[in-house]
Amino acid sequence: MILNRRRTVAFAVALFASATLTLGAASASTTTDEHGAAGHERVRVMTLNIFYGGDDLDLKTGEFCAEANGCPQTLMQIERAITQAHADIVGVQEPERNVEKIASALGWYGSNRAHVMSRFPIIDPPGGDGLYVFVEVAPGRVVAVANTHLPSDPYGPYLVRDGGTVKQVLDLERETRLPAVRDLVKVLPALARKGIPVMLTGDFNSPSHLDWTPAVAAERADVPYPVKWPASSALAAAGLRDTYREAHPDPVAVPGFTWTPGSPEADPHEVFDRIDWVLTAGPTRTIDSTVVGEKGGPDVGVGVSPWPTDHRGVVSTLDVVPAVPQVLVSPATRRVTIGEDLPVTYHASGRHGERVELRDAKGRVVSSRPTKAGSTDGTVTLPTRGLRRGAYDVALVSGGKAVSEAQVWLYPAGEPTTVSAGKSRYRQGEPITIDWSNAPGMGLDWVSVYACPDGACTDTSEYLVYTYTGSAIEGQAKIGPKSIGADSSWPLAPGEYVVRLLPDDGLVSVAQSAVFTVTEK
């Protein structure tokens, strides 16, 4: 278990890749149900934590990569693992800006914001609010996919190993990991009730209540008592089914451990468990599920040598009945360079006169294109030449009304990403306001405060206190006593500091503000 900042995120992702909903898109294998009904699709859904971007592990030594720009051969093994698993959709944890890079190498669609890649088009549905994407597994028909990475530290099984009681373990889980699944529990079951197949992939950093049973406690020394782990219990109560346990219902006979096949950061007294899951809800049926990992590893059904990460993956084969999505409009990117065309995907009602429009902050139409006559699905291209910098709305107009809208931001070519503190001077303990613009908008972009004595602050790993941007292109956040890292760093001591914006949980700064000062009260 990696106990550092990049594993303490609570991340339920959503939204978009540079893909379009296209008539005639490649379809998953079409099947029929037991009654012979057509319209079912067979898809393979995989979850995989790729260890700090997939290029930070040296396959020869099993230690951290010493090469300045990472180990590209390790990234190629990640791609090979996905290929050998015959996956169609992959939820990725710890991607660090590499989802689209891996997807491109595979000839797939990928989303650095959603941390989802697929051989099918990925669609940003308005109202997804960063929680899920649609994947078009058949022409004009979709499934919903969410991906998550729950906080890792402190890790529940370590507390058990070190003598913690059931109450202490449950209290820890309810405080640390249960809050990270609450939005998933609220939103995903509602999609399933509408008839949309739902898949949730993730590194949950928690065992499952399906695994820590009385029968397992009687067999495994590292499971001294049964535990109804709160995160998995809450997801199950919401109707999300564990595909691995549907395929392998006996946790004594088939533990299916995913943590860990080995890690440069492994605890010297490591405990092993199944913490990476593919969950599903709605009109889906589990056909099979297997562990993807090192050749010869326990319960590994798809073996890859050498194995390139510190987690084993899971791939599940599902029979699904994909749904026709709601009316929607989906721009190919939320951050647009003025002068470039903006592709926009739509799913419309097919009524005469429907259009896709670009509207400025005052609601004025500045660019417009009709949808294809008689078609419900397609893509139009909106020109942006001559438009001003700022926020705009992309709208699907039907019957004279906007029936779906999505926001984009237009910037002049070459405009840098900016981040700044609201004031140049703060009193000790006063919350710090941070503003940013033209951000990458990736799933785990974060803003952080660093000590900067005498203006010397070049190390991006020595952060003090930080927060995530929620993948916002432009926004504002406050750093204060409830921010991540505040338990050991807040209030900031008097002195000089700098705030940075870093994309996708990585340590490469894309913007740096002027130094600000904290003074005594």
Side-chain angles (χ1 to χ4, degrees):
M1 183 59 50
I2 302 170
L3 304 183
N4 60 24
R5 188 195 65 78
R6 289 181 285 176
R7 289 293 306 279
T8 60
V9 297
F11 177 47
V13 287
L15 306 192
F16 189 36
S18 55
T20 57
L21 181 68
T22 308
L23 290 173
S27 173
S29 56
T30 302
T31 65
T32 58
D33 65 13
E34 61 270 27
H35 303 294
H40 290 226
E41 303 289 341
R42 187 68 52 84
V43 295
R44 286 173 66 85
V45 182
M46 184 176 183
T47 187
L48 186 63
N49 182 315
I50 65 173
F51 190 69
Y52 296 166
D55 56 4
D56 217 4
L57 181 68
D58 189 323
L59 296 177
K60 295 180 179 179
T61 66
E63 300 297 328
F64 280 105
C65 181
E67 298 179 25
N69 296 318
C71 290
Q73 66 273 20
T74 309
L75 203 59
M76 292 174 64
Q77 280 296 98
I78 295 289
E79 297 158 9
R80 183 177 172 220
I82 293 169
T83 299
Q84 290 193 196
H86 300 291
D88 298 311
I89 300 168
V90 183
V92 182
Q93 302 88 48
E94 295 188 32
E96 294 192 11
R97 302 181 295 166
N98 277 337
V99 168
E100 291 179 12
K101 182 176 182 179
I102 297 169
S104 177
L106 294 170
W108 283 17
Y109 303 91
S111 169
N112 280 338
R113 187 186 186 197
H115 295 177
V116 171
M117 64 179 71
S118 173
R119 70 183 183 92
F120 309 113
I122 301 173
I123 305 159
D124 171 7
D129 296 327
L131 198 64
Y132 62 91
V133 295
F134 285 152
V135 177
E136 188 195 15
V137 300
R141 295 189 295 145
V142 302
V143 300
V145 181
N147 180 64
T148 194
H149 188 180
L150 302 194
S152 66
D153 184 16
Y155 184 48
Y158 289 168
L159 178 58
V160 175
R161 176 199 63 192
D162 296 339
T165 65
V166 174
K167 182 180 184 305
Q168 288 173 328
V169 170
L170 292 176
D171 287 347
L172 169 65
E173 295 299 310
R174 288 168 182 151
E175 178 182 351
T176 305
R177 274 163 284 276
L178 187 58
V181 303
R182 283 176 179 156
D183 286 344
L184 297 167
V185 165
K186 290 178 182 177
V187 174
L188 298 184
L191 294 173
R193 287 193 294 270
K194 293 178 181 177
I196 301 173
V198 173
M199 293 95 190
L200 171 61
T201 59
D203 169 5
F204 291 83
N205 279 314
S206 168
S208 171
H209 70 291
L210 299 174
D211 293 355
W212 282 51
T213 63
V216 171
E219 295 290 332
R220 281 174 51 187
D222 58 337
V223 180
Y225 41 69
V227 178
K228 292 184 178 180
W229 294 92
S232 66
S233 296
L235 291 164
L240 287 149
R241 310 186 309 274
D242 187 325
T243 60
Y244 191 81
R245 277 290 161 250
E246 286 188 322
H248 307 282
D250 186 349
V252 175
V254 188
F257 294 158
T258 61
W259 176 260
T260 171
S263 167
E265 298 178 314
D267 190 285
H269 304 289
E270 193 57 76
V271 293
F272 304 96
D273 226 306
R274 188 177 68 92
I275 63 175
D276 303 84
W277 315 327
V278 176
L279 307 182
T280 189
T284 74
R285 181 168 62 95
T286 300
I287 305 300
D288 189 23
S289 183
T290 192
V291 173
V292 185
E294 75 282 17
K295 285 186 177 179
D299 299 324
V300 170
V302 178
V304 178
S305 182
W307 181 244
T309 175
D310 64 335
H311 284 245
R312 300 181 185 100
V314 175
V315 63
S316 297
T317 304
L318 305 177
D319 179 55
V320 306
V321 183
V324 175
Q326 76 270 25
V327 171
L328 62 82
V329 64
S330 176
T333 180
R334 296 178 299 142
R335 188 170 64 158
V336 186
T337 299
I338 295 172
E340 294 183 355
D341 290 338
L342 173 62
V344 179
T345 293
Y346 63 84
H347 175 71
S349 64
R351 293 176 60 182
H352 176 73
E354 290 181 318
R355 302 181 65 82
V356 176
E357 298 178 346
L358 185 64
R359 299 175 173 182
D360 66 14
K362 294 183 179 181
R364 296 174 298 198
V365 178
V366 297
S367 186
S368 178
R369 290 289 185 272
T371 61
K372 185 178 179 180
S375 174
T376 57
D377 299 280
T379 300
V380 300
T381 301
L382 299 176
T384 66
R385 187 181 305 276
L387 299 181
R388 294 185 177 183
R389 177 194 188 280
Y392 291 76
D393 286 322
V394 176
L396 174 63
V397 178
S398 180
K401 296 181 180 180
V403 294
S404 180
E405 295 180 280
Q407 195 168 36
V408 297
W409 286 261
L410 271 60
Y411 297 99
E415 178 169 326
T417 300
T418 63
V419 61
S420 62
K423 299 192 299 185
S424 61
R425 190 176 299 271
Y426 287 89
R427 297 187 306 274
Q428 188 176 20
E430 182 182 2
I432 299 161
T433 300
I434 299 175
D435 295 274
W436 65 90
S437 68
N438 202 7
M442 297 183 186
L444 289 175
D445 290 357
W446 55 298
V447 287
S448 184
V449 173
Y450 297 78
C452 193
D454 302 321
C457 45
T458 58
D459 189 345
T460 58
S461 66
E462 297 298 326
Y463 46 83
L464 297 173
V465 59
Y466 65 96
T467 190
Y468 288 97
T469 69
S471 74
I473 303 296
E474 291 192 2
Q476 184 181 87
K478 287 190 181 295
I479 295 287
K482 294 184 178 181
S483 299
I484 308 171
D487 54 344
S488 59
S489 302
W490 193 267
L492 298 175
E496 291 186 326
Y497 297 87
V498 69
V499 61
R500 291 190 175 98
L501 189 153
L502 306 97
D504 213 23
D505 227 21
L507 295 174
V508 179
S509 178
V510 294
Q512 180 171 317
S513 78
V515 173
F516 69 91
T517 302
V518 172
T519 62
E520 293 184 357
K521 295 182 179 179

